[in-house]
Amino acid sequence: EDIQEKLLIVDEQNIFEELMKKTKGCEPYLFILRTGLRANEVAGLCWEDINFETGIIKISHALSVVDGEIIFGETKTDNGHRIFKLPHKTRLLLERRKQYAVTEWVFPSFRNPDQALSPSTAYHKFKDILCNAELPSVRFHDLRHTFATHAIMVGVDEKTLSRLLGHENASFTL
């Protein structure tokens, strides 16, 4: 696959978001686009990481795949440990999901809800959705870059954005 970074322009992002709202099981993709979290951080989210009263989310762990086995562990960097307030629409999305939750995972496996979401399974479903919608073939990480780019466009300062993304410093974010 082409690893060149691609972003969803505003119109494509709007189409993508509307499609995700209508397609079962697509909340993880919307969540990445709305928060800028890494895909493995989203896969590792547990309900205990979210305080619905305050709207605060705590990112302190992630999932990785080692030799085909899903490992629940640390975030990519020390700065990956962060706490921030969820955007209102994203908080509502999670509140709706929580009503039907049957496991500790915010985004459980599509096939086995007792297990965490497999990044590779989520990736393949994501690619199928993009192809069927005739949207650009972006990577999970491009959703994160789309979030960051659009945040800068609407005036989020570099330091705040760097903290949200879990980067070491604002110069890396830029």
Side-chain angles (χ1 to χ4, degrees), residues 24-26 28-29 108-113 116-118 121-123 125:
K24 185 178 179 187
C26 291
Y29 315 124
S109 165
F110 298 129
R111 294 190 183 115
N112 185 351
L117 178 64
S118 161
T121 301
Y123 175 80
K125 181 175 180 169

Side-chain angles (χ1 to χ4, degrees), residues 12-24:
E12 293 168 340
Q13 180 175 341
N14 292 337
I15 291 167
F16 178 82
E17 286 199 34
E18 287 305 311
L19 179 62
M20 295 300 99
K21 290 177 194 173
K22 297 175 188 173
T23 307
K24 185 178 179 187

Side-chain angles (χ1 to χ4, degrees), residues 90-155:
T90 306
R91 182 176 172 181
L92 292 176
L93 178 143
L94 292 180
E95 287 174 351
R96 285 190 298 272
R97 274 192 79 75
K98 178 70 171 147
Q99 294 174 12
Y100 305 103
V102 296
T103 181
E104 67 182 303
W105 306 107
V106 174
F107 300 108
S109 165
F110 298 129
R111 294 190 183 115
N112 185 351
D114 291 336
Q115 296 178 0
L117 178 64
S118 161
S120 63
T121 301
Y123 175 80
H124 292 296
K125 181 175 180 169
F126 174 69
K127 289 307 221 175
D128 288 345
I129 291 167
L130 290 175
C131 182
N132 292 336
E134 298 180 2
L135 285 167
S137 180
V138 297
R139 304 167 298 155
F140 271 155
H141 210 70
D142 294 331
L143 294 178
R144 182 169 153 86
H145 293 167
T146 298
F147 167 82
T149 300
H150 290 221
I152 289 172
M153 289 171 55
V154 298

Side-chain angles (χ1 to χ4, degrees), residues 30-31 34-35 86-95:
L30 264 179
F31 196 77
R34 290 180 180 173
T35 62
L86 287 166
H88 180 71
K89 285 177 21 179
T90 306
R91 182 176 172 181
L92 292 176
L93 178 143
L94 292 180
E95 287 174 351

Side-chain angles (χ1 to χ4, degrees), residues 35-38 41 59-60 75-84 141 144 147-148 158-173:
T35 62
L37 294 180
R38 295 175 179 93
E41 293 169 342
I59 309 302
S60 59
T75 57
K76 184 177 176 183
T77 67
D78 287 340
N79 284 349
H81 291 254
R82 55 210 188 273
I83 297 172
F84 60 89
H141 210 70
R144 182 169 153 86
F147 167 82
E158 300 90 16
K159 189 172 182 173
T160 300
L161 182 57
S162 179
R163 186 182 54 77
L164 287 172
L165 294 173
H167 286 162
E168 296 285 329
N169 57 55
S171 64
F172 181 80
T173 302

